[in-house]
Amino acid sequence: MPLIHVTLLSGRGEEEIAALARALTDAVHATLGTPRDVIRVTVDECAPEHWFVGGDSMAERRVRGG
């Protein structure tokens, strides 16, 4: 049973997240031949204030335009 765990910055719509989960499921099925009904996808959303790149939060980087 493959488990795919994805962490995204918060702010995407439910339709986008569902489309991502379907695409990941399709990719595992096509690549490994795993039946779709045993493929698991979990999606966690992280606030920009809690996601850091190079020591700066994504919230800070957005304010600076980066």
Side-chain angles (χ1 to χ4, degrees), residues 22-46:
R22 285 190 299 274
L24 291 169
T25 299
D26 290 345
V28 170
H29 173 71
T31 304
L32 302 178
T34 306
R36 285 180 169 77
D37 64 338
V38 300
I39 300 168
R40 307 294 190 251
V41 177
T42 65
V43 178
D44 286 333
E45 292 185 280
C46 184

Side-chain angles (χ1 to χ4, degrees), residues 9-29:
L9 284 173
S10 59
R12 289 180 171 80
E14 292 300 318
E15 289 179 12
E16 253 185 313
I17 293 171
L20 175 62
R22 285 190 299 274
L24 291 169
T25 299
D26 290 345
V28 170
H29 173 71

Side-chain angles (χ1 to χ4, degrees), residues 40-61:
R40 307 294 190 251
V41 177
T42 65
V43 178
D44 286 333
E45 292 185 280
C46 184
E49 297 81 12
H50 299 156
W51 185 301
F52 294 84
V53 176
D56 298 325
S57 75
M58 287 304 294
E60 294 168 328
R61 293 170 67 99

